[in-house]
Amino acid sequence: MHSPAILAAALVLAAAPSHAQAPAKPLQVKIGTASPLSGTGAHQGKDIENGARMAIDELNAKGIVLGGRKLQWVLQPEDDAADPKTGAAVAQKLVDAKVAAVVGHLNSGTTVPASKIYANAGIPQISPAATTPLYTHQGFKTAFRVVANDNLVGRTLASYSVNTLKAKKIAVIDDRTAFGQGLADEFVKGVKASKGGASVVSRQFTNDKATDFNAILTQIRARDPDVIFYGGMDAVAGPMLKQMKALGLRAKLVSGDGVCSEKMPQLAGDALVDDKVFCVVAGGVSGPQEAGMQAFTQRYQQRYKIPLQTYAPYAYDAVMVFAKAMQTANSSEPAKFLPALAGIEYDGVTGHIAFDPKGDLKNAALTLYTYRKGQKTKLQVLR
């Protein structure tokens, strides 16, 4: 007859799970996002976070397994306040948190200093928005982007202003940020190279926090330009349009993707008349791919109950590209999946994604928009 103590021990052993049969603990993969979540650019920065979060949730729902372990995807969003020093601090914070990859930053002025920190740590970075050529021309193997760069954007807008809008006299304003000034410089180069007989009759400067443009616009009005090019973001362009209207400036406003947002009608009010503003987004889909972009936009609006601004689909695709590279390499370790990332071929919401040796998008598209009846209206996709 067995003693009660022996029986109790036997029951405990029987009830104890076998360690050999216990499922492996999910492997956590952290993806960082870095963008302005406060200040005048917060609506664009939150758009990046929202797009990335949609991808993270979809990846978790798929139950992806790497090396025999299920992955648990985690998003770590950080606010860089569109400030270079804060951007560098945020980059170090993400490195210290041991993120596998970073989607960001939004602004060129934060992307460039942050990119050095990610490169030193060997952490891949895809910007869904930064367009300065400098970002991918530093020689970092970790720097990629899923939008066209300023060289292409500036040339395209210059060509459109001269050849389609038939501008002869053009005024140029920029906000002195890395993005705004860089884009304006490329636009001026494009105007000078054009064969349409156009000239830059005024070059003016403001800053990305400005609200009063009367002095520079009065100087510009004396030159009676056909087009005013603005290098900067929508938070400044909206009030600028109101003051252009008050001063009776008839010129069209031409700009890059920083102005091409869903918030622009709200920022500009009744100064945003039909075909007054022309802008490009550094990306774009046409034909059969349009249905995918429309479906993404609907999912976004259903989830967040706000309009998609500009960059959410690019942030979404950036996360998905990281995931595909990890699956190709069968590893979430940056050093192991970085070569797969460099050679990626991926059809995303924003179109086909493949990188050149610098980390720029191959065969990058641009989408030209105007505003009609207070709505952003697509004109054409250019390659």
Side-chain angles (χ1 to χ4, degrees):
M1 187 175 174
H2 297 296
S3 74
I6 291 170
L7 280 171
L11 287 169
V12 168
L13 284 169
S18 164
H19 288 291
Q21 294 172 339
K25 188 180 175 187
L27 178 65
Q28 192 178 85
V29 179
K30 272 192 209 171
I31 305 288
T33 57
S35 58
L37 303 176
S38 58
T40 55
H43 59 294
Q44 298 277 29
K46 191 70 178 174
D47 206 46
I48 287 174
E49 182 193 329
N50 288 347
R53 193 173 296 285
M54 285 174 68
I56 290 287
D57 289 352
E58 285 183 32
L59 290 170
N60 278 326
K62 284 179 183 173
I64 295 168
V65 174
L66 281 190
R69 292 177 70 182
K70 188 177 174 183
L71 299 188
Q72 180 196 7
W73 300 83
V74 176
L75 188 70
Q76 182 165 332
E78 298 291 345
D79 179 11
D80 67 17
D83 173 68
K85 284 184 181 173
T86 308
V90 157
Q92 191 58 54
K93 184 177 178 183
L94 289 170
V95 168
D96 293 343
K98 293 187 166 44
V99 297
V102 175
V103 178
H105 296 219
L106 184 151
N107 309 83
S108 292
T110 50
T111 302
V112 172
S115 67
K116 294 179 175 68
I117 294 164
Y118 302 130
N120 289 338
I123 293 174
Q125 169 193 11
I126 297 178
S127 175
T131 53
T132 180
L134 177 60
Y135 166 53
T136 49
H137 288 214
Q138 300 172 97
F140 299 149
K141 297 294 184 192
T142 48
F144 303 86
R145 71 173 122 223
V146 286
V147 289
N149 70 30
D150 284 340
N151 295 346
L152 185 59
V153 175
R155 285 198 306 268
T156 301
L157 287 170
S159 173
Y160 190 81
S161 298
V162 175
N163 299 322
T164 303
L165 299 181
K166 304 298 181 189
K168 295 295 182 188
K169 294 187 288 183
I170 298 171
V172 177
I173 308 170
D174 76 68
D175 67 0
R176 297 281 89 179
T177 64
F179 164 65
Q181 185 177 347
L183 183 57
D185 288 346
E186 292 301 328
F187 176 83
V188 170
K189 283 183 201 170
V191 171
K192 287 178 178 173
S194 70
K195 303 284 193 288
S199 61
V200 175
V201 296
S202 180
R203 180 84 195 247
Q204 303 290 335
F205 314 107
T206 182
N207 66 72
D208 59 348
K209 311 281 189 300
T211 54
D212 183 3
F213 313 100
N214 278 300
I216 58 174
L217 290 176
T218 299
Q219 287 180 321
I220 285 171
R221 184 175 64 175
R223 300 302 184 101
D224 190 28
D226 307 302
V227 160
I228 296 173
F229 178 84
Y230 174 60
M233 302 297 284
D234 57 359
V236 170
M240 187 183 288
L241 269 172
K242 290 179 179 177
Q243 288 168 43
M244 283 171 61
K245 183 185 179 190
L247 288 168
L249 270 157
R250 64 177 186 84
K252 310 276 190 196
L253 185 75
V254 173
S255 192
D257 57 357
V259 164
C260 238
S261 72
E262 296 296 339
K263 199 174 181 183
M264 191 62 187
Q266 183 185 331
L267 292 163
D270 62 4
L272 189 64
V273 295
D274 289 3
D275 298 314
K276 179 74 171 177
V277 171
F278 294 86
C279 55
V280 295
V281 169
V285 293
S286 53
Q289 293 174 321
E290 285 184 290
M293 180 65 91
Q294 286 170 351
F296 176 85
T297 303
Q298 286 170 353
R299 292 203 308 276
Y300 183 99
Q301 290 171 339
Q302 283 167 0
R303 172 162 181 173
Y304 296 112
K305 311 295 185 227
I306 52 172
L308 186 155
Q309 292 299 324
T310 309
Y311 302 113
Y314 300 94
Y316 173 90
D317 273 356
V319 174
M320 291 303 193
V321 164
F322 284 137
K324 183 176 180 188
M326 289 178 201
Q327 289 172 278
T328 301
N330 198 32
S331 176
S332 60
E333 291 178 38
K336 291 183 180 173
F337 76 79
L338 191 52
L341 180 62
I344 207 88
E345 297 276 347
Y346 180 78
D347 288 307
V349 171
T350 61
H352 186 71
I353 295 169
F355 301 114
D356 71 12
K358 284 190 171 73
D360 278 320
L361 202 58
K362 287 182 185 175
N363 194 29
L366 297 170
T367 307
L368 186 71
Y369 291 91
T370 189
Y371 289 84
R372 291 173 183 160
K373 297 186 171 59
Q375 298 289 320
K376 191 165 85 169
T377 305
K378 181 175 172 179
L379 294 175
Q380 64 186 115
V381 174
L382 310 160
R383 288 191 185 275

